[in-house]
Amino acid sequence: RAAEKFIDDPFVRYQLLDIESSAESQGLAASQFDLIIASNVVHATRDLGESLGNVGKLLAPGGRLLFVEGTRKARWVDLVFGLTEGWWRFDDTLLRTDYPLLTAPQWRSLLESQGMTNVQTVETRGKKNQEVVGDVFPQVLVLAQKPDVPCTKETDGARPDIAEDAWLILARGQEIGDSLAAMIGETTEYCQVVDVGDDFGGLETAVS
């Protein structure tokens, strides 16, 4: 239907995407998309961590993911969508014990564990005293960003093993520093960007 509606825009490409499979197996190159949008579809996969991992590989550095998902049980939703194939097919039971939907905090936690940054959630209105009003289907808009430069956080104050060809970049502009780190990161094992600030905040992240 989209191809028919936008037939006058020949630059648009239409293709089915299975987010439970790798992009490469579907003829799509990794790190090519600046924006990925999804509406009430991510939950209909067997393993959310794996599916979001596949989506993340499609995003270019700095790319953004934006999607909408339901967040709570609703009887009428179970009666309608509960009859569809994808509603109950989840098997990541450590995350989703008995229901396919996640709450907003769960989405934030999951995306951050996938290495996404700037994770924000905006929940729909329709609640009164924290109770769902009428037949409103509670949903959340989730926004997240893929880091410009892949980062590995240090834990317990331990510093990573630094190779002999490590780089320390002193940058006045974070965008320039990150771009340079991305180029250097293709050939070296360790790179740290330090930006100008009002005080010394410590080296909290390492780029590898």
Side-chain angles (χ1 to χ4, degrees):
R1 292 180 180 179
E4 293 174 355
K5 182 174 183 179
F6 301 106
I7 192 172
D8 294 330
D9 299 316
F11 58 88
V12 182
R13 175 184 174 184
Y14 305 90
Q15 179 180 336
L16 292 176
L17 173 66
D18 177 6
I19 61 173
E20 294 186 289
S21 302
S22 67
E24 291 82 357
S25 66
Q26 301 173 73
L28 295 171
S31 304
Q32 295 297 309
F33 296 91
D34 295 316
L35 176 64
I36 294 178
I37 301 174
S39 178
N40 288 301
V41 67
V42 181
H43 71 270
T45 58
R46 295 186 185 279
D47 188 301
L48 289 180
E50 182 179 305
S51 297
L52 288 175
N54 289 331
V55 172
K57 290 177 182 177
L58 286 168
L59 284 171
R64 298 179 185 273
L65 172 63
L66 184 156
F67 63 90
V68 174
E69 282 288 347
T71 57
R72 297 185 188 177
K73 294 181 180 180
R75 291 192 181 120
W76 73 266
V77 174
D78 286 342
L79 289 172
V80 177
F81 296 102
L83 300 178
T84 61
E85 179 183 355
W87 192 249
W88 302 106
R89 68 192 303 265
F90 63 93
D91 58 16
D92 50 355
T93 51
L94 291 178
L95 177 63
R96 297 184 285 180
T97 56
D98 61 356
Y99 204 68
L101 303 182
L102 297 184
T103 63
Q106 286 177 312
W107 279 118
R108 288 196 297 269
S109 178
L110 178 59
L111 285 163
E112 289 170 354
S113 72
Q114 293 280 322
M116 301 293 281
T117 62
N118 298 326
V119 181
Q120 302 289 329
T121 55
V122 181
E123 295 188 74
T124 57
R125 297 180 181 271
K127 294 184 293 182
K128 183 177 181 181
N129 298 326
Q130 301 303 315
E131 296 295 330
V132 178
V133 178
D135 291 332
V136 173
F137 180 37
Q139 292 189 295
V140 63
L141 172 65
V142 183
L143 303 96
Q145 185 175 21
K146 185 174 182 178
D148 287 333
V149 181
C151 292
T152 302
K153 290 188 177 180
E154 301 174 17
T155 58
D156 300 327
R159 298 188 60 181
D161 294 330
I162 300 178
E164 292 182 356
D165 58 345
W167 286 70
L168 177 65
I169 300 174
L170 305 179
R172 181 171 293 276
Q174 190 67 37
E175 182 176 353
I176 296 176
D178 287 345
S179 298
L180 180 58
M183 296 173 60
I184 296 173
E186 295 179 0
T187 58
T188 189
E189 295 183 19
Y190 181 88
C191 183
Q192 175 70 55
V193 179
V194 178
D195 199 7
V196 177
D198 296 329
D199 53 23
F200 179 72
L203 301 179
E204 297 179 354
T205 60
V207 179
S208 59

